Amino acid sequence: MPLSKQSRGEPHDAPRTSKPRRQQRLYLMFDDWELGYSIRELNMWNAGAEQRRLPPPFIRLEAIHGRPEFFASVGTKILMTNPVPKYDALAPIGILPIIDVRSRGVNLAPGELYPEHPIYIPVGDSKLFALDINTFKMLSMKPLCPPLMEIEYSDRSMEWSWHDLPMPTFERMDVTSYAVDADGGTILTSTNCATFAFDIANSKWKQPSNCSLPFSGRANFVPGLNVFVGLPKDVDYFGHLCFCRLLGDDKHDVWFSKENLSSKDPDESHVGFSLVYLGEMRFCLVECVSKGEAEAEKWLEEWGKGKLHQAAELEKWEPCPLISSRCVLTTLSLSSGMNGNLTAAKTAVQCYKVPVEASYNVNPVAFWL
């Protein structure tokens, strides 16, 4: 499949629209609720480097802790695809809750999905693709007419539904990165040795390149700069942004931001990064770091040796030190210099204390909707 003009670095005209868009927000997720997850709505333009408390939850959802990868977003909607616990006989089967952050409404999508290690790829505002072990599906979220609750039960052709798609020739667990190409109609997926392209309109897989995209996880195409942007796969560039321009014929132009954008202090441990595309030339780097892990491990080691049992008898016992975590949101603005070099400038930094009830060892999950 030939690569689009935009992904080859050729100029293009950005689509124009006169329809005003609602002010978008960042939706940050933590499994700090005893029954599942809390989703919080953040205003990205309320800058301040001092550590602050997170706002109250926008909504709470019952789900298994420690598995944020089962959440997805498309358009203005957040989908919860968490598998139903086997011990929960009363849990509904066959439906997926959908939260629309614009209408503040909750709807239901068909639950014809049994995720194991899913990769969710939103395309536009109405299509969600799900690549998993032995499955590749697509859910269309186009508005129903008439509305869902008014559809006669016999007319199932108007309902949302998952569509089975052709499986790729590579294994899901071999995927290292993915992106939607500049044309908006092609999904690019890389393994360590090749890049594959899925033509959405023709529902066909091809292998346009023997080179792998240089990203870790999801990358986004920035039309104004004709470049893909993501987090680097190369560990030597940890904390930097990675830029890639596809030139065709197995040629990639790859470079990295000069500045290390990580906000981790020397006495903190890195938990995870997420890069969220805010549109135009703006990104938000969501970083979680923790402190106190070494002290906690030492305490557990001493406890295992029985030393703390003796200290408890002497009333010198001290409780296990808590592991504290913070979430840093760094807003970045990309620009192109006179010589064509890209720069990533920090425009705002926000720091929040992560609830102690939340899992501290998982990548942060955030959506810009």
Side-chain angles (χ1 to χ4, degrees):
M1 178 184 299
L3 298 171
S4 64
K5 290 184 178 181
Q6 292 91 335
S7 65
R8 293 197 301 265
E10 300 178 20
H12 82 296
D13 294 328
R16 298 180 180 179
T17 176
S18 59
K19 185 178 179 180
R21 294 180 62 88
R22 62 179 286 273
Q23 186 177 7
Q24 292 176 283
R25 299 281 196 276
L26 189 78
Y27 293 87
L28 194 60
M29 303 181 57
F30 289 108
D31 57 351
D32 59 326
W33 184 37
E34 60 180 347
L35 298 180
Y37 290 78
S38 300
I39 303 179
R40 293 172 169 86
E41 184 183 72
L42 301 179
N43 184 348
M44 291 303 298
W45 318 125
N46 184 18
E50 72 279 0
Q51 183 168 292
R52 64 185 77 175
R53 290 184 177 274
L54 288 166
F58 157 64
I59 193 172
R60 287 190 172 105
L61 298 169
E62 292 189 25
I64 300 174
H65 291 90
R67 302 301 300 271
E69 68 272 19
F70 289 121
F71 287 87
S73 71
V74 58
T76 60
K77 300 175 177 63
I78 297 175
L79 286 78
M80 185 182 76
T81 70
N82 297 60
V84 176
K86 296 180 179 180
Y87 58 80
D88 193 349
L90 300 179
I93 299 177
I95 60 173
L96 299 178
I98 303 175
I99 300 92
D100 192 312
V101 300
R102 174 181 292 177
S103 67
R104 296 298 199 260
V106 178
N107 212 324
L108 302 175
E112 304 167 14
L113 197 66
Y114 303 94
E116 295 183 71
H117 298 281
I119 294 176
Y120 293 115
I121 309 171
V123 176
D125 292 332
S126 61
K127 292 181 179 179
L128 181 68
F129 291 80
L131 177 63
D132 205 343
I133 298 176
N134 299 324
T135 64
F136 183 42
K137 296 174 178 284
M138 187 272 290
L139 175 66
S140 175
M141 301 292 294
K142 290 183 178 180
L144 295 176
C145 184
L148 182 63
M149 301 305 294
E150 299 178 12
I151 296 177
E152 294 292 335
Y153 183 79
S154 58
D155 186 11
R156 304 188 63 87
S157 62
M158 296 294 292
E159 295 184 11
W160 292 328
S161 61
W162 288 97
H163 301 278
D164 289 313
L165 299 173
M167 287 295 298
T169 56
F170 56 87
E171 298 293 333
R172 152 63 188 94
M173 301 308 293
D174 292 335
V175 174
T176 57
S177 61
Y178 56 94
V180 178
D181 202 0
D183 59 8
T186 306
I187 296 174
L188 301 177
T189 308
S190 278
T191 63
N192 280 323
C193 56
T195 296
F196 302 83
F198 180 73
D199 186 331
I200 296 175
N202 296 314
S203 193
K204 291 183 178 180
W205 283 100
K206 289 187 178 181
Q207 182 181 337
S209 175
N210 290 319
C211 295
S212 175
L213 294 175
F215 305 107
S216 174
R218 182 179 177 180
N220 290 94
F221 183 78
V222 180
L225 299 172
N226 297 319
V227 69
F228 288 92
V229 181
L231 297 176
K233 180 170 58 176
D234 190 338
V235 295
D236 292 336
Y237 288 93
F238 172 83
H240 297 256
L241 292 186
C242 179
F243 307 108
C244 177
R245 185 170 287 127
L246 308 184
L247 305 177
D249 297 328
D250 288 340
K251 296 181 181 179
H252 294 177
D253 188 9
V254 179
W255 67 103
F256 305 89
S257 62
K258 292 183 179 180
E259 182 183 0
N260 190 318
L261 303 169
S262 174
S263 299
K264 184 182 78 67
D265 292 333
D267 59 342
E268 291 179 316
S269 299
H270 183 262
V271 176
F273 266 141
S274 293
L275 187 65
V276 182
Y277 185 38
L278 307 184
E280 297 181 347
M281 301 182 191
R282 296 176 297 126
F283 284 83
C284 178
L285 185 64
V286 184
E287 181 182 17
C288 283
V289 294
S290 62
K291 186 176 182 180
E293 290 179 290
E295 291 80 1
E297 290 178 0
K298 182 178 179 181
W299 187 95
L300 291 173
E301 182 180 352
E302 296 294 322
W303 179 269
K305 293 179 180 178
K307 293 182 179 180
L308 293 183
H309 291 287
Q310 301 174 6
E313 295 176 357
L314 299 175
E315 298 183 352
K316 295 181 180 180
W317 178 83
E318 294 183 0
C320 178
L322 293 177
I323 298 175
S324 61
S325 302
R326 63 189 181 101
C327 182
V328 183
L329 311 178
T330 304
T331 307
L332 307 170
S333 178
L334 305 183
S335 60
S336 180
M338 295 291 292
N339 56 0
N341 292 335
L342 295 183
T343 59
K346 295 183 180 181
T347 58
V349 177
Q350 300 182 42
C351 182
Y352 293 95
K353 181 180 179 181
V354 176
V356 295
E357 299 85 0
S359 299
Y360 73 92
N361 58 346
V362 295
N363 278 335
V365 174
F367 302 116
W368 180 251
L369 305 172

